[in-house]
Amino acid sequence: PQSGIYTMNHDGSDYKLILPSDPSRPTPVYGRFLMSHDGRYVFWQGNFNSIYRVNADGSGDLRELVKTGAEYT
């Protein structure tokens, strides 16, 4: 399969690529992903501690929710 972020059932079936790998996008760190309580979004921490969100069904665009770093000093 192509590299990227996938969703799937607990048994590994019905996997779907929701965000293909792209060098211009932030890289998830620590392998920690969270699903929203309603199953609509996937969240993760990217490089430089920013928090990102993508729709769990693969629609829409990647969204940066929280920034940390020099822009807040």
Side-chain angles (χ1 to χ4, degrees), residues 1 4 6 16-17 26 28 33-34 37-38 49-50 53 57 60 69 73:
Y6 287 80
K16 179 179 181 180
L17 178 65
F33 296 89
L34 295 172
H37 65 83
D38 60 6
N49 295 321
S50 296
R53 179 187 84 187
D57 65 2
T73 59

Side-chain angles (χ1 to χ4, degrees), residues 29-46:
V29 294
Y30 310 123
R32 295 180 187 164
F33 296 89
L34 295 172
M35 180 75 75
S36 64
H37 65 83
D38 60 6
R40 292 177 52 200
Y41 305 108
V42 177
F43 300 89
W44 73 91
Q45 180 181 346

Side-chain angles (χ1 to χ4, degrees), residues 1-2 6-9 11-18:
Q2 182 179 353
Y6 287 80
T7 58
M8 66 184 74
N9 294 330
D11 64 1
S13 66
D14 196 28
Y15 64 92
K16 179 179 181 180
L17 178 65
I18 61 169

